[in-house]
Short mmCIF file of all heavy atoms in Angstrom, two decimals:
data_model
loop_
_atom_site.label_atom_id
_atom_site.label_comp_id
_atom_site.label_asym_id
_atom_site.label_seq_id
_atom_site.Cartn_x
_atom_site.Cartn_y
_atom_site.Cartn_z
N SER A 37 3.68 120.66 -40.39
CA SER A 37 5.01 120.22 -40.25
C SER A 37 5.00 118.91 -39.32
O SER A 37 4.14 118.88 -38.55
CB SER A 37 5.88 121.34 -39.49
OG SER A 37 6.15 122.43 -40.31
N ILE A 39 7.77 117.13 -36.59
CA ILE A 39 8.86 117.43 -35.76
C ILE A 39 9.00 116.19 -34.87
O ILE A 39 8.00 115.71 -34.39
CB ILE A 39 8.63 118.68 -34.83
CG1 ILE A 39 8.19 119.88 -35.82
CG2 ILE A 39 9.85 118.94 -34.07
CD1 ILE A 39 6.72 120.10 -35.79
N GLN A 41 11.33 114.60 -31.36
CA GLN A 41 12.13 114.95 -30.17
C GLN A 41 12.55 113.80 -29.44
O GLN A 41 11.81 113.13 -28.79
CB GLN A 41 11.35 115.96 -29.20
CG GLN A 41 12.20 116.59 -28.19
CD GLN A 41 11.34 117.67 -27.42
OE1 GLN A 41 10.20 117.70 -27.40
NE2 GLN A 41 12.20 118.64 -26.94
N MET A 45 16.31 115.84 -25.56
CA MET A 45 16.93 116.51 -26.66
C MET A 45 16.09 117.55 -27.20
O MET A 45 14.91 117.67 -26.96
CB MET A 45 17.48 115.58 -27.67
CG MET A 45 18.54 114.61 -27.23
SD MET A 45 19.10 113.45 -28.47
CE MET A 45 19.90 114.69 -29.56
N ALA A 46 16.67 118.51 -28.08
CA ALA A 46 15.88 119.54 -28.69
C ALA A 46 15.00 118.95 -29.77
O ALA A 46 15.20 117.92 -30.38
CB ALA A 46 16.83 120.58 -29.32
N PRO A 47 13.93 119.66 -30.12
CA PRO A 47 13.14 119.26 -31.30
C PRO A 47 13.83 119.27 -32.54
O PRO A 47 14.85 120.14 -32.70
CB PRO A 47 12.00 120.27 -31.38
CG PRO A 47 11.92 120.91 -29.95
CD PRO A 47 13.31 120.87 -29.54
N GLU A 48 13.50 118.34 -33.46
CA GLU A 48 14.22 118.30 -34.78
C GLU A 48 13.11 118.42 -35.78
O GLU A 48 12.22 117.48 -35.92
CB GLU A 48 15.00 117.05 -34.95
CG GLU A 48 15.71 116.83 -36.24
CD GLU A 48 16.41 115.53 -36.40
OE1 GLU A 48 15.98 114.63 -35.79
OE2 GLU A 48 17.41 115.55 -37.11
N TRP A 49 13.13 119.41 -36.71
CA TRP A 49 12.10 119.54 -37.77
C TRP A 49 12.39 118.53 -38.84
O TRP A 49 13.63 118.26 -39.18
CB TRP A 49 12.24 120.88 -38.36
CG TRP A 49 11.33 121.18 -39.53
CD1 TRP A 49 10.02 121.61 -39.40
CD2 TRP A 49 11.67 121.08 -40.83
NE1 TRP A 49 9.55 121.67 -40.76
CE2 TRP A 49 10.47 121.39 -41.67
CE3 TRP A 49 12.76 120.69 -41.62
CZ2 TRP A 49 10.41 121.35 -42.92
CZ3 TRP A 49 12.82 120.65 -42.93
CH2 TRP A 49 11.61 120.95 -43.63
N HIS A 52 7.68 119.43 -43.95
CA HIS A 52 6.43 120.07 -44.02
C HIS A 52 5.77 120.07 -45.36
O HIS A 52 6.39 119.77 -46.43
CB HIS A 52 6.41 121.52 -43.44
CG HIS A 52 7.17 122.58 -44.31
ND1 HIS A 52 8.03 123.38 -43.93
CD2 HIS A 52 7.11 122.77 -45.63
CE1 HIS A 52 8.48 124.17 -44.80
NE2 HIS A 52 7.95 123.87 -45.93
N SER A 60 8.93 120.17 -48.21
CA SER A 60 10.32 120.35 -47.83
C SER A 60 10.71 119.26 -46.77
O SER A 60 9.85 118.81 -46.05
CB SER A 60 10.52 121.72 -47.30
OG SER A 60 10.32 122.78 -48.19
N TYR A 61 12.00 118.93 -46.82
CA TYR A 61 12.46 117.82 -45.94
C TYR A 61 13.73 118.21 -45.27
O TYR A 61 14.52 118.99 -45.72
CB TYR A 61 12.74 116.53 -46.78
CG TYR A 61 11.54 116.02 -47.44
CD1 TYR A 61 11.19 116.19 -48.79
CD2 TYR A 61 10.68 115.18 -46.73
CE1 TYR A 61 10.01 115.73 -49.31
CE2 TYR A 61 9.58 114.52 -47.27
CZ TYR A 61 9.29 114.83 -48.56
OH TYR A 61 8.10 114.34 -49.15
N ASN A 62 13.88 117.64 -44.03
CA ASN A 62 15.21 117.65 -43.33
C ASN A 62 16.28 117.27 -44.28
O ASN A 62 16.20 116.16 -44.89
CB ASN A 62 15.12 116.81 -42.00
CG ASN A 62 16.29 116.84 -41.25
OD1 ASN A 62 17.32 116.23 -41.70
ND2 ASN A 62 16.17 117.40 -40.04
N THR A 63 17.34 117.93 -44.33
CA THR A 63 18.40 117.67 -45.26
C THR A 63 19.07 116.22 -45.12
O THR A 63 19.25 115.51 -45.91
CB THR A 63 19.51 118.83 -45.14
OG1 THR A 63 18.87 120.10 -45.38
CG2 THR A 63 20.59 118.45 -46.17
N PHE A 96 5.84 114.84 -33.43
CA PHE A 96 4.71 115.75 -33.25
C PHE A 96 4.37 116.27 -34.75
O PHE A 96 5.23 116.36 -35.55
CB PHE A 96 5.12 117.00 -32.56
CG PHE A 96 5.49 116.80 -31.13
CD1 PHE A 96 6.83 116.67 -30.73
CD2 PHE A 96 4.55 116.80 -30.12
CE1 PHE A 96 7.22 116.48 -29.42
CE2 PHE A 96 4.94 116.73 -28.74
CZ PHE A 96 6.15 116.62 -28.38
N ILE A 100 1.58 125.13 -39.52
CA ILE A 100 2.50 126.20 -39.85
C ILE A 100 1.82 127.03 -40.83
O ILE A 100 1.03 126.80 -41.64
CB ILE A 100 3.82 125.59 -40.36
CG1 ILE A 100 4.84 126.70 -40.46
CG2 ILE A 100 3.51 124.88 -41.75
CD1 ILE A 100 6.26 126.22 -40.70
N TYR A 103 4.21 132.37 -45.24
CA TYR A 103 4.24 133.77 -45.43
C TYR A 103 4.68 134.02 -46.93
O TYR A 103 3.88 134.69 -47.59
CB TYR A 103 5.40 134.41 -44.57
CG TYR A 103 5.41 135.84 -44.61
CD1 TYR A 103 4.44 136.58 -43.79
CD2 TYR A 103 6.51 136.56 -45.22
CE1 TYR A 103 4.63 138.03 -43.89
CE2 TYR A 103 6.49 137.96 -45.27
CZ TYR A 103 5.48 138.66 -44.63
OH TYR A 103 5.54 140.02 -44.54
N THR A 106 8.90 130.28 -49.52
CA THR A 106 9.99 129.78 -48.69
C THR A 106 10.01 130.15 -47.19
O THR A 106 10.72 129.65 -46.38
CB THR A 106 11.34 130.12 -49.24
OG1 THR A 106 11.52 131.60 -49.23
CG2 THR A 106 11.55 129.67 -50.63
N THR A 107 9.24 131.12 -46.84
CA THR A 107 9.26 131.65 -45.46
C THR A 107 7.89 131.39 -44.82
O THR A 107 6.89 131.33 -45.40
CB THR A 107 9.45 133.13 -45.34
OG1 THR A 107 8.44 133.81 -46.13
CG2 THR A 107 10.90 133.61 -45.89
N PHE A 108 8.08 131.21 -43.50
CA PHE A 108 6.93 130.76 -42.73
C PHE A 108 6.86 131.53 -41.34
O PHE A 108 7.86 132.05 -40.88
CB PHE A 108 6.94 129.30 -42.33
CG PHE A 108 6.88 128.42 -43.62
CD1 PHE A 108 8.03 128.25 -44.25
CD2 PHE A 108 5.70 127.90 -44.08
CE1 PHE A 108 7.98 127.37 -45.43
CE2 PHE A 108 5.66 127.21 -45.28
CZ PHE A 108 6.81 126.97 -45.97
N ASN A 109 5.76 131.68 -40.80
CA ASN A 109 5.53 132.07 -39.39
C ASN A 109 5.29 130.85 -38.56
O ASN A 109 5.09 129.81 -39.06
CB ASN A 109 4.47 133.14 -39.24
CG ASN A 109 4.90 134.51 -39.80
OD1 ASN A 109 6.19 134.86 -39.58
ND2 ASN A 109 4.06 135.22 -40.47
N GLY A 110 5.26 131.09 -37.28
CA GLY A 110 5.38 129.90 -36.33
C GLY A 110 4.43 128.92 -36.46
O GLY A 110 3.34 128.95 -36.89
N MET A 111 4.80 127.75 -35.78
CA MET A 111 3.87 126.57 -35.73
C MET A 111 2.98 126.82 -34.39
O MET A 111 3.41 126.75 -33.30
CB MET A 111 4.77 125.30 -35.44
CG MET A 111 5.62 125.09 -36.61
SD MET A 111 6.90 123.79 -36.23
CE MET A 111 8.00 123.86 -37.63
N ASP A 112 1.82 127.26 -34.67
CA ASP A 112 1.02 127.67 -33.60
C ASP A 112 0.12 126.70 -32.89
O ASP A 112 -0.28 126.93 -31.70
CB ASP A 112 0.08 128.87 -34.10
CG ASP A 112 -1.03 128.44 -35.08
OD1 ASP A 112 -0.66 127.34 -35.73
OD2 ASP A 112 -1.96 129.18 -35.34
N TRP A 114 -0.08 122.58 -32.00
CA TRP A 114 0.63 121.22 -32.05
C TRP A 114 -0.26 120.08 -31.61
O TRP A 114 -1.14 120.30 -30.74
CB TRP A 114 1.85 121.26 -31.11
CG TRP A 114 3.00 122.17 -31.59
CD1 TRP A 114 2.93 123.57 -31.70
CD2 TRP A 114 4.29 121.80 -31.74
NE1 TRP A 114 4.08 124.03 -32.18
CE2 TRP A 114 5.07 123.04 -32.15
CE3 TRP A 114 5.07 120.65 -31.69
CZ2 TRP A 114 6.35 123.03 -32.51
CZ3 TRP A 114 6.47 120.60 -32.05
CH2 TRP A 114 6.99 121.85 -32.31
N GLY A 115 -0.10 118.96 -32.10
CA GLY A 115 -0.57 117.74 -31.45
C GLY A 115 0.04 117.33 -30.19
O GLY A 115 1.10 117.90 -29.80
N ASP B 1 22.20 124.36 -44.70
CA ASP B 1 21.28 124.57 -43.58
C ASP B 1 21.75 125.71 -42.61
O ASP B 1 22.89 126.11 -42.46
CB ASP B 1 21.32 123.38 -42.65
CG ASP B 1 20.71 122.06 -43.34
OD1 ASP B 1 20.52 122.12 -44.57
OD2 ASP B 1 20.63 121.01 -42.64
N PHE B 32 12.46 136.04 -39.40
CA PHE B 32 11.77 134.79 -39.25
C PHE B 32 12.36 133.96 -38.23
O PHE B 32 12.91 132.90 -38.53
CB PHE B 32 11.82 134.18 -40.64
CG PHE B 32 10.98 134.74 -41.72
CD1 PHE B 32 11.53 135.77 -42.64
CD2 PHE B 32 9.55 134.66 -41.80
CE1 PHE B 32 10.73 136.48 -43.52
CE2 PHE B 32 8.83 135.35 -42.72
CZ PHE B 32 9.36 136.28 -43.57
N ASN B 34 11.32 132.29 -34.45
CA ASN B 34 10.19 131.90 -33.45
C ASN B 34 10.72 131.51 -32.13
O ASN B 34 11.90 130.90 -32.08
CB ASN B 34 9.28 130.84 -34.12
CG ASN B 34 9.03 131.12 -35.42
OD1 ASN B 34 8.18 132.13 -35.75
ND2 ASN B 34 9.28 130.25 -36.45
N PHE B 36 9.75 129.10 -28.67
CA PHE B 36 8.79 128.22 -28.00
C PHE B 36 9.22 128.01 -26.56
O PHE B 36 10.37 128.05 -26.19
CB PHE B 36 8.89 126.85 -28.71
CG PHE B 36 8.46 126.93 -30.18
CD1 PHE B 36 9.32 127.21 -31.23
CD2 PHE B 36 7.14 126.65 -30.52
CE1 PHE B 36 8.83 127.34 -32.47
CE2 PHE B 36 6.69 126.60 -31.72
CZ PHE B 36 7.59 126.94 -32.79
N GLN B 38 8.69 124.97 -23.72
CA GLN B 38 8.35 123.60 -23.45
C GLN B 38 8.44 123.08 -22.01
O GLN B 38 9.45 123.30 -21.47
CB GLN B 38 9.07 122.72 -24.42
CG GLN B 38 8.51 121.16 -24.39
CD GLN B 38 9.32 120.29 -25.35
OE1 GLN B 38 10.50 120.45 -25.71
NE2 GLN B 38 8.53 119.31 -25.91
N GLU B 42 5.02 117.78 -22.54
CA GLU B 42 4.21 118.64 -23.27
C GLU B 42 4.79 118.94 -24.68
O GLU B 42 6.04 118.90 -24.82
CB GLU B 42 3.80 119.94 -22.47
CG GLU B 42 2.92 119.74 -21.25
CD GLU B 42 2.58 121.08 -20.58
OE1 GLU B 42 2.96 122.11 -21.23
OE2 GLU B 42 2.01 120.99 -19.46
N ALA B 43 3.92 119.24 -25.57
CA ALA B 43 4.40 119.81 -26.76
C ALA B 43 4.93 121.25 -26.69
O ALA B 43 4.50 121.94 -25.86
CB ALA B 43 3.28 119.82 -27.81
N PRO B 44 5.88 121.64 -27.49
CA PRO B 44 6.35 123.00 -27.44
C PRO B 44 5.14 123.94 -27.69
O PRO B 44 4.18 123.62 -28.39
CB PRO B 44 7.30 123.14 -28.65
CG PRO B 44 7.91 121.72 -28.72
CD PRO B 44 6.69 120.85 -28.49
N LEU B 46 4.05 127.92 -28.85
CA LEU B 46 4.57 129.03 -29.55
C LEU B 46 4.34 130.26 -28.68
O LEU B 46 3.26 130.60 -28.29
CB LEU B 46 3.93 129.17 -30.99
CG LEU B 46 4.26 130.37 -31.77
CD1 LEU B 46 5.80 130.37 -32.21
CD2 LEU B 46 3.27 130.67 -32.94
N TYR B 49 6.55 134.92 -32.75
CA TYR B 49 6.90 134.60 -34.05
C TYR B 49 7.33 135.87 -34.76
O TYR B 49 7.02 136.96 -34.21
CB TYR B 49 5.84 133.87 -34.85
CG TYR B 49 4.43 134.75 -35.01
CD1 TYR B 49 4.24 135.57 -36.11
CD2 TYR B 49 3.50 134.69 -33.90
CE1 TYR B 49 3.04 136.12 -36.27
CE2 TYR B 49 2.27 135.44 -34.18
CZ TYR B 49 2.14 136.18 -35.32
OH TYR B 49 0.94 136.94 -35.40
N ALA B 50 7.91 135.74 -35.95
CA ALA B 50 8.31 136.91 -36.64
C ALA B 50 9.25 137.84 -35.76
O ALA B 50 9.18 139.08 -35.87
CB ALA B 50 7.25 137.78 -37.23
N GLN B 55 2.42 135.76 -29.71
CA GLN B 55 1.30 134.94 -30.06
C GLN B 55 0.08 135.12 -29.13
O GLN B 55 0.22 135.50 -27.97
CB GLN B 55 1.74 133.35 -29.87
CG GLN B 55 0.71 132.39 -30.16
CD GLN B 55 0.21 132.29 -31.54
OE1 GLN B 55 0.58 132.93 -32.42
NE2 GLN B 55 -0.87 131.45 -31.75
N TYR B 87 13.04 127.26 -26.72
CA TYR B 87 13.71 126.95 -28.00
C TYR B 87 13.48 128.04 -28.94
O TYR B 87 12.53 128.59 -29.03
CB TYR B 87 13.29 125.77 -28.60
CG TYR B 87 13.62 124.43 -27.80
CD1 TYR B 87 12.62 123.88 -26.96
CD2 TYR B 87 14.83 123.81 -27.93
CE1 TYR B 87 12.80 122.72 -26.17
CE2 TYR B 87 15.03 122.67 -27.07
CZ TYR B 87 14.05 122.14 -26.26
OH TYR B 87 14.32 120.98 -25.57
N GLN B 89 13.61 128.93 -33.15
CA GLN B 89 13.54 128.28 -34.40
C GLN B 89 13.52 129.21 -35.60
O GLN B 89 12.80 130.21 -35.52
CB GLN B 89 12.32 127.29 -34.44
CG GLN B 89 12.12 126.54 -35.75
CD GLN B 89 10.77 126.24 -36.15
OE1 GLN B 89 9.83 127.06 -35.82
NE2 GLN B 89 10.51 125.21 -36.80
N SER B 91 12.36 130.20 -39.46
CA SER B 91 11.35 129.75 -40.43
C SER B 91 11.62 130.59 -41.71
O SER B 91 10.67 130.86 -42.37
CB SER B 91 9.99 129.91 -39.85
OG SER B 91 9.76 131.21 -39.33
N TYR B 92 12.88 130.88 -41.93
CA TYR B 92 13.23 131.56 -43.10
C TYR B 92 13.32 130.77 -44.32
O TYR B 92 12.90 131.11 -45.51
CB TYR B 92 14.45 132.37 -42.93
CG TYR B 92 15.05 133.12 -44.07
CD1 TYR B 92 14.50 134.41 -44.49
CD2 TYR B 92 16.16 132.74 -44.70
CE1 TYR B 92 14.79 135.14 -45.53
CE2 TYR B 92 16.59 133.44 -45.85
CZ TYR B 92 16.00 134.61 -46.24
OH TYR B 92 16.48 135.34 -47.28
N THR B 93 13.88 129.61 -44.15
CA THR B 93 14.06 128.62 -45.23
C THR B 93 14.15 127.22 -44.67
O THR B 93 14.75 127.15 -43.61
CB THR B 93 15.12 129.03 -46.13
OG1 THR B 93 15.10 128.19 -47.40
CG2 THR B 93 16.37 128.98 -45.37
N ALA B 94 13.66 126.25 -45.38
CA ALA B 94 13.73 124.87 -44.98
C ALA B 94 15.24 124.44 -45.09
O ALA B 94 15.93 124.86 -46.09
CB ALA B 94 12.91 123.99 -45.76
N PRO B 95 15.69 123.62 -44.17
CA PRO B 95 15.11 123.09 -43.07
C PRO B 95 14.90 123.98 -41.90
O PRO B 95 15.79 124.83 -41.65
CB PRO B 95 15.99 121.81 -42.67
CG PRO B 95 17.48 122.32 -43.15
CD PRO B 95 17.09 123.10 -44.39
N LEU B 96 13.71 123.97 -41.17
CA LEU B 96 13.46 124.89 -40.24
C LEU B 96 14.01 124.49 -38.92
O LEU B 96 13.37 124.10 -37.95
CB LEU B 96 11.87 125.02 -40.11
CG LEU B 96 11.11 125.29 -41.40
CD1 LEU B 96 9.63 125.52 -41.07
CD2 LEU B 96 11.80 126.48 -42.21
N ASP B 97 15.26 124.76 -38.77
CA ASP B 97 16.09 124.29 -37.61
C ASP B 97 15.74 124.88 -36.36
O ASP B 97 15.46 126.14 -36.25
CB ASP B 97 17.64 124.48 -37.88
CG ASP B 97 18.11 123.59 -38.97
OD1 ASP B 97 17.51 122.50 -39.21
OD2 ASP B 97 19.12 124.01 -39.70
N PHE B 98 15.81 124.12 -35.27
CA PHE B 98 15.65 124.67 -33.91
C PHE B 98 17.08 124.86 -33.25
O PHE B 98 18.04 124.22 -33.63
CB PHE B 98 14.96 123.62 -33.02
CG PHE B 98 13.47 123.50 -33.27
CD1 PHE B 98 13.02 122.68 -34.46
CD2 PHE B 98 12.58 124.15 -32.48
CE1 PHE B 98 11.68 122.56 -34.60
CE2 PHE B 98 11.18 124.11 -32.82
CZ PHE B 98 10.70 123.31 -33.81
N GLY B 99 17.02 125.79 -32.28
CA GLY B 99 18.20 125.93 -31.45
C GLY B 99 18.27 124.69 -30.34
O GLY B 99 17.34 123.93 -30.35
N GLN B 100 19.33 124.56 -29.73
CA GLN B 100 19.47 123.40 -28.87
C GLN B 100 18.72 123.65 -27.50
O GLN B 100 18.68 122.60 -26.59
CB GLN B 100 21.01 123.19 -28.65
CG GLN B 100 21.75 124.12 -27.61
CD GLN B 100 22.15 125.49 -28.22
OE1 GLN B 100 21.67 125.86 -29.08
NE2 GLN B 100 23.13 126.03 -27.45
N GLY B 101 18.19 124.76 -27.17
CA GLY B 101 17.45 124.95 -26.00
C GLY B 101 18.22 125.69 -24.88
O GLY B 101 19.36 125.56 -24.72
#
Side-chain angles (χ1 to χ4, degrees):
Chain A
S37 287
I39 307 98
Q41 188 169 29
M45 297 179 65
E48 177 181 33
W49 178 85
H52 69 227
S60 295
Y61 295 99
N62 178 295
T63 303
F96 298 96
I100 191 165
Y103 189 75
T106 60
T107 60
F108 298 85
N109 284 321
M111 300 170 188
D112 64 339
W114 292 60
Chain B
D1 295 8
F32 291 95
N34 311 300
F36 294 88
Q38 189 176 29
E42 294 183 4
L46 179 65
Y49 63 93
Q55 173 67 4
Y87 297 98
Q89 183 212 24
S91 53
Y92 179 72
T93 187
L96 308 185
D97 293 330
F98 288 85
Q100 78 276 23

